């Protein structure tokens, strides 16, 4: 089985982002926000069947862990009350997609974070999505300010109540920033990779996993700069008298394969232990075109790992399926029940 751990509903019907734009423009004046859009099942099918579904089937992907569009979370654009409504709308749409295509998708939720706000609403939405909608994880934004990094780091104790709920529910979080409001950091090429790398370094410099030994995070986009600079991070950990990375992080931190050329994917597979790599493509995501050097889509990431002759079949089985079942225990349980 091929499990893609990183998919977003980037082709959601246009009425959904149009409603969000109106909600943001209302600036907290609820009376000025139009009624939420009514999206039919046929509209959802039309948004998926000639896009996400067709592509993942063509590429041999059996199941995608699916969430709302990350850049559209845009926690910095509205207040907490508005973001609660927006997150529920987006998560309910994902639940409907899973209901329409239960063999193709399983849900991961957006959280109603907001700059300077606590996490009570995020805890409540995570619990709703896991216990009521059957979701298997969440996307956690380490920078709800949208590029200004004005909030506390991920090891700050203000995050601990949320981590306690993650452990209680037995779900991981993908660390995923949203759109950037800072012109110094383009969203997908800079802010996303900065967020991934920053999260990794925050984990390295903290005792978070001593306090939460069962907590699990997926760092997307191949881990940002971390695999490419693995020696730097090993050396920094050593200089800071931290434990080796394998002991400090690699029971709790995992990396996806959203790396869009063969040399980069190969570097990831050579540097990071196989047990810490989860297959992903982020289709359709930041890079949708065809690589003129290969004639294949940049985000057709499975073919990179198929071509690595140093990987054993057991390695590929781990990357394509088994590691996802380990990191997402509720996914594993759902799949076992489906096979029974």
């Amino acid at each position: 089985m091929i499990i893609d751990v990183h998919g977003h509903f980037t082709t959601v019907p246009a009425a959904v982002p149009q409603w969000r734009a109106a909600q943001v423009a209302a600036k907290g004046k609820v009376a000025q926000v139009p009624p939420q859009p009514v999206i039919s099942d046929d509209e959802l099918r039309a948004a998926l069947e000639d896009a996400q579904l067709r592509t993942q089937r063509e590429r041999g992907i059996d199941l995608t862990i699916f969430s709302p569009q990350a850049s559209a979370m845009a926690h910095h654009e509205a207040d907490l009350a508005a973001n609660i409504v927006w997150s529920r709308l987006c998560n309910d749409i994902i639940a409907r997609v899973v209901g329409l295509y239960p063999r193709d998708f399983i849900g991961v939720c957006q959280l109603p974070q907001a700059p300077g706000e606590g996490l009570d609403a995020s805890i409540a939405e995570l619990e709703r999505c896991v216990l009521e909608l059957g979701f298997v994880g969440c996307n956690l934004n380490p920078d709800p300010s949208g590029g200004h990094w004005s909030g506390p780091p991920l090891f700050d104790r203000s995050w601990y109540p949320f981590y306690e709920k993650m452990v209680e529910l037995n779900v991981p979080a993908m660390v995923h920033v949203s759109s950037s409001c800072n012109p110094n950091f383009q969203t997908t090429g800079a802010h996303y990779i900065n967020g991934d790398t920053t999260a990794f370094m925050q984990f390295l410099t903290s005792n978070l996993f001593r306090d939460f030994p069962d907590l699990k995070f997926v760092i997307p986009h191949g881990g940002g700069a971390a695999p490419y600079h693995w020696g730097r991070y090993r050396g920094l950990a050593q200089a800071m008298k931290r434990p080796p990375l394998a002991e400090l992080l690699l029971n709790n931190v995992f990396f996806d394969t959203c790396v869009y050329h063969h040399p980069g994917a190969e570097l990831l597979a050579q540097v990071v232990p196989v047990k810490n790599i989860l297959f992903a493509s982020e289709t359709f995501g930041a890079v949708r075109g065809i690589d003129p050097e290969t004639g294949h889509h940049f985000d057709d990431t499975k073919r990179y790992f198929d071509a690595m002759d140093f990987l054993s079949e057991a390695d590929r089985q781990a990357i394509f399926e088994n590691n996802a079942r380990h990191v997402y225990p509720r996914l594993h349980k759902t799949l076992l029940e489906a096979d029974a």
Side-chain angles (χ1 to χ4, degrees):
M1 186 177 202
I2 310 298
I3 301 172
D4 186 332
V5 305
H6 190 167
H8 301 297
F9 198 175
T10 55
T11 59
V12 68
V16 178
Q18 289 168 0
W19 181 86
R20 171 61 167 178
Q23 186 204 39
V24 170
K27 300 183 185 302
K29 298 175 182 176
V30 177
Q32 296 181 14
V33 180
Q36 290 190 14
V38 177
I39 308 296
S40 70
D41 286 352
D42 284 344
E43 287 178 286
L44 292 178
R45 292 188 184 98
L48 289 162
E49 290 189 0
D50 196 37
Q52 179 78 30
L53 260 176
R54 175 179 55 81
T55 300
Q56 71 184 54
R57 288 170 177 171
E58 288 175 350
R59 296 178 184 176
I61 298 168
D62 298 296
L63 179 71
T64 294
I65 297 179
F66 208 47
S67 65
Q69 184 174 359
S71 61
M73 297 188 298
H75 296 115
H76 59 281
E77 290 186 352
D79 61 18
L80 179 60
N83 288 346
I84 290 172
V85 176
W86 173 231
S87 294
R88 289 181 67 97
L89 170 62
C90 291
N91 292 331
D92 287 345
I93 289 173
I94 295 297
R96 289 179 60 199
V97 168
V98 174
L100 291 171
Y101 301 100
R103 295 186 177 275
D104 299 287
F105 298 108
I106 196 160
V108 159
C109 68
Q110 172 178 320
L111 299 170
Q113 298 173 247
E117 298 285 356
L119 290 163
D120 288 350
S122 292
I123 291 170
E125 183 63 3
L126 177 66
E127 192 163 46
R128 182 183 82 93
C129 288
V130 171
L131 298 182
E132 297 180 23
L133 304 183
F135 287 14
V136 298
C138 62
N139 291 334
L140 183 66
N141 188 349
D143 175 35
S145 73
H148 293 298
W149 292 93
S150 56
L154 289 170
F155 55 76
D156 187 84
R157 287 188 172 270
S158 60
W159 294 93
Y160 274 33
F162 188 81
Y163 299 155
E164 289 168 0
K165 182 58 66 173
M166 284 175 58
V167 172
E168 176 190 327
L169 295 173
N170 202 17
V171 295
M174 179 171 281
V175 179
H176 207 309
V177 294
S178 186
S179 55
S180 172
C181 64
N182 186 333
N184 290 291
F185 306 113
Q186 190 270 351
T187 294
T188 55
H191 187 45
Y192 278 15
I193 308 304
N194 291 347
D196 305 332
T197 309
T198 298
F200 181 83
M201 192 63 194
Q202 288 178 2
F203 294 149
L204 187 154
T205 55
S206 75
N207 294 315
L208 180 60
F209 302 121
R210 182 189 64 189
D211 294 343
F212 293 97
D214 297 323
L215 195 61
K216 290 184 174 63
F217 291 100
V218 178
I219 300 183
H221 318 118
Y228 189 70
H229 289 285
W230 202 250
R232 174 181 292 258
Y233 294 115
R234 288 177 53 236
L236 285 169
Q238 179 176 294
M240 295 175 183
K241 302 191 185 307
R242 310 289 294 157
L245 295 186
E247 178 184 339
L248 179 63
L249 299 180
L250 295 186
N251 291 321
N252 308 88
V253 177
F254 302 84
F255 305 82
D256 81 14
T257 66
C258 292
V259 181
Y260 295 145
H261 66 148
H262 186 274
E266 189 168 72
L267 173 76
L268 174 69
Q270 289 175 332
V271 170
V272 173
V274 164
K275 74 179 184 68
N276 291 86
I277 301 173
L278 280 67
F279 173 71
S281 69
E282 202 180 1
T283 307
F284 296 114
V287 182
R288 306 187 187 192
I290 293 176
D291 185 343
E293 296 180 4
T294 67
H296 297 278
H297 284 85
F298 286 100
D299 62 3
D300 187 1
T301 56
K302 181 176 179 292
R303 59 188 309 275
Y304 302 142
F305 289 84
D306 286 339
M308 294 179 196
D309 56 12
F310 61 87
L311 292 176
S312 68
E313 286 309 306
D315 291 337
R316 289 189 182 86
Q317 176 70 22
I319 291 169
F320 288 146
E321 178 180 3
N322 293 350
N323 293 345
R325 288 177 179 262
H326 168 67
V327 176
Y328 291 84
R330 286 181 175 267
L331 166 65
H332 180 61
K333 182 175 182 292
T334 298
L335 293 174
L336 287 177
E337 290 171 351
D339 292 339

